[in-house]
Amino acid sequence: MLPDAAPASLPAGGPGLAADAAPTLVDQRIPVLTLGVGLALMGLGIGFLGLRMRRR
């Protein structure tokens, strides 16, 4: 049988934050995968435009 889980607590960096506080932009994190996919798509788009311009 699994032991009971401890209640969730606030992160060590924000002990003064209230539980009902609205999240700020600092608290919202963007996953690294999203940034990597965006950079890859930008690279493909620039490469596509470069090939199209080279053929003319």
Side-chain angles (χ1 to χ4, degrees):
M1 189 170 189
L2 296 174
D4 292 335
S9 62
L10 293 175
L17 295 175
D20 58 334
T24 61
L25 292 177
V26 176
D27 296 332
Q28 297 173 353
R29 305 255 180 201
I30 301 174
V32 177
L33 181 63
T34 304
L35 295 175
V37 169
L39 286 173
L41 289 174
M42 280 182 53
L44 287 173
I46 292 171
F48 174 75
L49 290 175
L51 286 175
R52 293 289 294 175
M53 293 177 71
R54 183 175 169 224
R55 290 182 184 174
R56 290 185 173 203

